[in-house]
Amino acid sequence: MKRISILILLFFCFFCTASFSQTTVTYKWLDPAKAGFPVIEGQAWPTETTVAYDRFPARAQKGLNPNVWNISHSSAGLYIKFKTDAPNLVIRYKVKGDFAMSHMPATGVSGLDLYALDPNGKWCLAPGSFSFKDTITYRFSNIQVSAAFPGRSYEYRLFLPLYNSVSWLEIGVPDGNIFNFMPLSKEKPVLVYGTSIAQGGCASRPGLAWTAILQRALDRPLVNLGFSGTGLLEKSVIDLMAEIDAKIYVLDCMPNLISFSDQEIEKRLLASVQSLKETHPLVPILLVEHSEGNVDGMLDTGRTAGYNRVNKVLGLTYSKLIAAGTKSVYLLTNKEIGFDINSTVDGLHPNDVGMQKYAIAYEKTIRIIINEPTGKYSTTVPVVQSRDGYYDWRNRHSEILTLIKTDSPKIVFLGNSILNYWGGIPKAPLARGANSWNNYLEPLGVKNFGFGWDQVENVLWRVYHEEIDGFNADKVMVMIGTNNLSGNSDQEIIDGLKLLVQAVKVRQPKTEILLSGLLPRRAQEKRIEVLNKAISKLATQIRVRFINPGKLLLDSAGNIDESLFGDGLHPNETGYQKLAIALVPYLKK
């Protein structure tokens, strides 16, 4: 009996050991600093830093205020983009400095934040468990970005510590899972020069700093030059900023200028604007008031008087700049930011509520300045997407940004997979009508800016993000909306098309815009017929040319001619041939 008990015990131990070994996960470790190409986004000088996570180039040390140089080693505003299908991630790293401050937790000072984009471009948060020891460790478990597309690699954004310097960092991915760092964006950045508030004080975690919220909202590179206590509009920093061709410059330094005289504040403001305008006369500059001016219920009258004084100086200086004819200079007021007594940690530094207020005010103002308005429907809110498994959406966007700099398009087609998988350049993974494209469209100089699975809002994002900037096209054809039919009303599609065409007009004021009706599709012919009438009416209202080549793909009963389609939606080679012949007269001068 004793021998049987021992055998049972041994079997039990073996079973437990075997089970444990089967659940043990082995990780491969990846270092962003050794990716083989720059992957740390948010740096204006990514190839010139001494330490991988610095914010200034090494050559800047000699000219900078030592305090600015020291603070520039903090990783505020830096983030890493990657794609993975892993359900579990581990990130370990070391920092130089205390984990926390008296008014800001360790999760903000020294922690990380991990966000992902779902297939429809919605931001999702991966909550992590963390351990702050000599080596800080974050674990992200049971990640499922989308149940609709399981097993896919999705885009992630890892935001780094706001008030500490990262010595080294590694990302652990389970063996067998895909992991790829994403290259830096080719788009012009929002460049922010500010104080501790811009640096991130006192957000509870990096992703809640107003600059990080704004970065995700605009989905555009953002360079954070916020320096705690030393955002002083110093010439040495302004000169470095002038090296960068930004989308917009932001000067948010008023909180650190309270100790200066009115004359000195005005002098620094004027010199900063003049210096940036001399180098980049067309780049807009946004001046920002102290957020705490005139906050109702703030009982420290001494503080309030100081805040109001610097804001008054800024307002007067801004008026002088406008009176002198300075172009593209703007002002964001503290009233627009909208702080109240619940917005700060200490009467100065915003808490998470204050950070959100900052971000909302900034987004609203910057969208107006750079002509990127949004509306109330999903069709009018620009977003990316990753619904199509045939290609990499971001990579195709990057290809186009490269293409327009080397081979200026004469004619641009904006649309979805119906265009994307027709043929032409940039090449797509499929080409269902290459012969007709090569015979009829290629000789006219048509470039194919169609993206599989795109909806109106995705094309709007691409137009906002420089795909038709920097060249003069003869014609732009817009054929988009069929992928919105399942989730949007006709009115929502029309409103999205209106905003999209207006965006094209702003960026291509001399081009002829061809607004196409939707191609017919199986079982939706009647709805599309009604919608196309509304699109035709819209074209008349906004003064663009309406075309409807899809009517050639219908039979005598008004249904799709099945012989011209491969799947009831995408034309086959014969169908594309008919489309090409129909489009040529509209595309010729």
Side-chain angles (χ1 to χ4, degrees):
M1 189 64 147
K2 184 176 181 181
R3 184 178 179 183
I4 293 174
S5 298
I6 292 172
L7 288 173
I8 292 173
L9 180 61
L10 288 172
F11 176 81
F12 179 78
C13 291
F14 173 80
F15 178 81
C16 290
T17 302
S19 299
F20 179 81
S21 65
Q22 289 174 1
T23 59
T24 300
V25 179
T26 303
Y27 284 83
K28 54 186 174 185
W29 294 93
L30 303 109
D31 185 342
K34 299 176 182 178
F37 55 96
V39 301
I40 302 169
E41 197 86 62
Q43 291 176 318
W45 302 269
T47 61
E48 296 188 62
T49 59
T50 301
V51 178
Y53 301 96
D54 279 359
R55 289 185 285 160
F56 273 133
R59 58 182 165 82
Q61 181 176 6
K62 293 181 179 179
L64 287 173
N65 175 332
N67 291 328
V68 173
W69 175 251
N70 290 335
I71 298 171
S72 74
H73 298 308
S74 65
S75 55
L78 302 187
Y79 53 100
I80 299 163
K81 298 184 299 185
F82 58 85
K83 288 189 173 181
T84 184
D85 62 353
N88 303 295
L89 294 168
V90 179
I91 302 172
R92 61 190 184 192
Y93 59 103
K94 282 193 176 184
V95 296
K96 300 175 182 177
D98 295 334
F99 289 154
M101 296 189 292
S102 60
H103 62 332
M104 187 172 175
T107 49
V109 173
S110 306
L112 301 173
D113 254 338
L114 184 64
Y115 290 80
L117 279 164
D118 80 358
N120 299 309
K122 175 186 174 183
W123 286 105
C124 308
L125 175 68
S129 59
F130 42 82
S131 171
F132 285 88
K133 297 180 180 179
D134 181 45
T135 296
I136 302 174
T137 303
Y138 269 71
R139 296 182 181 275
F140 302 93
S141 304
N142 305 311
I143 300 171
Q144 184 183 59
V145 177
S146 172
F149 299 96
R152 285 260 193 98
S153 281
Y154 289 100
E155 178 181 334
Y156 288 82
R157 207 153 295 186
L158 180 69
F159 290 88
L160 303 185
L162 296 170
Y163 266 82
N164 240 323
S165 304
V166 176
S167 300
W168 60 266
L169 182 146
E170 291 180 329
I171 301 173
V173 185
D175 282 339
N177 285 112
I178 298 170
F179 183 97
N180 292 295
F181 288 113
M182 295 175 62
L184 302 183
S185 172
K186 296 179 181 179
E187 298 165 26
K188 296 179 180 180
V190 175
L191 187 50
V192 177
Y193 179 23
T195 67
S196 55
I197 296 172
Q199 184 172 341
C202 293
S204 63
R205 48 187 176 84
L208 294 180
W210 70 260
T211 52
I213 300 172
L214 179 65
Q215 192 282 316
R216 294 193 301 277
L218 297 176
D219 198 7
R220 159 179 308 281
L222 186 146
V223 175
N224 184 335
L225 299 182
F227 305 108
S228 182
T230 53
L232 301 172
L233 290 180
E234 295 178 275
K235 183 179 183 301
S236 54
V237 177
I238 295 294
D239 287 346
L240 286 163
M241 291 177 64
E243 296 179 4
I244 307 304
D245 184 17
K247 188 71 174 179
I248 184 172
Y249 297 114
V250 175
L251 301 179
D252 189 353
C253 293
M254 302 314 294
N256 281 357
L257 298 178
I258 288 179
S259 61
F260 291 94
S261 67
D262 293 4
Q263 294 76 16
E264 182 62 22
I265 295 172
E266 180 181 335
K267 176 183 174 182
R268 294 192 178 210
L269 284 166
L270 293 175
S272 298
V273 172
Q274 181 181 3
S275 180
L276 293 174
K277 283 297 178 185
E278 284 177 354
T279 312
H280 301 286
L282 300 180
V283 178
I285 299 173
L286 178 60
L287 307 174
V288 185
E289 285 189 347
H290 195 312
S291 57
E292 284 295 326
N294 293 314
V295 173
D296 184 43
M298 192 65 67
L299 301 181
D300 189 329
T301 56
R303 283 192 185 192
T304 303
Y307 301 158
N308 291 337
R309 179 181 68 85
V310 296
N311 283 348
K312 182 178 180 181
V313 176
L314 175 59
L316 292 172
T317 305
Y318 172 72
S319 296
K320 288 183 180 180
L321 287 165
I322 299 302
T326 308
K327 303 295 184 182
S328 300
V329 178
Y330 303 87
L331 180 66
L332 177 59
T333 67
N334 69 301
K335 183 177 181 180
E336 291 170 300
I337 296 171
F339 269 23
D340 57 28
I341 59 173
N342 299 315
S343 302
T344 73
V345 171
D346 53 7
L348 173 62
H349 298 93
N351 54 26
D352 293 343
V353 173
M355 289 292 182
Q356 185 72 18
K357 287 178 179 289
Y358 251 107
I360 291 171
Y362 263 105
E363 182 188 358
K364 181 179 179 180
T365 299
I366 289 177
R367 284 197 180 280
I368 292 171
I369 294 171
I370 64 176
N371 282 306
E372 292 186 4
T374 61
K376 62 181 180 179
Y377 300 129
S378 64
T379 53
T380 60
V381 180
V383 293
V384 301
Q385 60 95 354
S386 58
R387 293 180 288 266
D388 194 322
Y390 280 117
Y391 72 104
D392 187 304
W393 198 94
R394 291 271 192 189
N395 282 353
R396 184 166 175 83
H397 171 62
S398 181
E399 282 184 66
I400 289 175
L401 296 188
T402 299
L403 171 68
I404 62 177
K405 293 177 181 178
T406 57
D407 185 13
S408 296
K410 293 181 180 179
I411 301 172
V412 171
F413 280 7
L414 291 170
N416 51 43
S417 59
I418 293 171
L419 297 178
N420 186 18
Y421 299 141
W422 187 344
I425 301 295
K427 287 187 176 181
L430 301 175
R432 296 186 173 111
N435 289 335
S436 59
W437 185 286
N438 293 337
N439 291 335
Y440 295 97
L441 303 181
E442 189 69 30
L444 298 177
V446 180
K447 294 295 184 290
N448 188 341
F449 290 9
F451 283 50
W453 270 100
D454 258 15
Q455 299 180 357
V456 175
E457 58 268 29
N458 308 130
V459 181
L460 181 64
W461 186 99
R462 296 195 282 114
V463 170
Y464 281 175
H465 287 251
E466 304 170 18
E467 285 194 9
I468 60 170
D469 290 4
F471 65 94
N472 294 314
D474 295 332
K475 299 177 189 291
V476 173
M477 185 185 78
V478 177
M479 182 190 286
I480 190 66
T482 194
N483 290 330
N484 291 93
L485 292 173
S486 61
N488 295 104
S489 68
D490 288 2
Q491 187 58 54
E492 290 170 344
I493 294 171
I494 293 297
D495 279 18
L497 287 172
K498 182 178 181 179
L499 193 61
L500 173 58
V501 172
Q502 289 171 339
V504 174
K505 277 188 171 184
V506 167
R507 290 153 180 82
Q508 291 283 343
K510 297 180 180 179
T511 192
E512 180 184 12
I513 298 174
L514 306 174
L515 180 57
S516 175
L518 304 189
L519 299 191
R521 58 187 296 177
R522 184 186 297 142
Q524 299 211 44
E525 293 93 341
K526 297 303 180 185
R527 181 183 175 186
I528 289 175
E529 181 183 2
V530 172
L531 180 56
N532 282 347
K533 289 179 180 179
I535 295 174
S536 176
K537 183 178 180 181
L538 171 66
T540 301
Q541 292 173 344
I542 58 180
R543 298 182 179 180
V544 298
R545 189 173 187 177
F546 174 73
I547 62 174
N548 191 19
K551 63 185 179 182
L552 299 175
L553 306 180
L554 294 169
D555 61 20
S556 58
N559 299 317
I560 65 168
D561 183 339
E562 294 285 354
S563 69
L564 302 177
F565 287 83
D567 56 5
L569 170 63
H570 299 89
N572 57 24
E573 180 65 54
T574 306
Y576 277 123
Q577 176 94 357
K578 290 180 73 73
L579 277 180
I581 294 172
L583 287 172
V584 165
Y586 297 111
L587 302 179
K588 288 184 175 180
K589 287 187 176 180

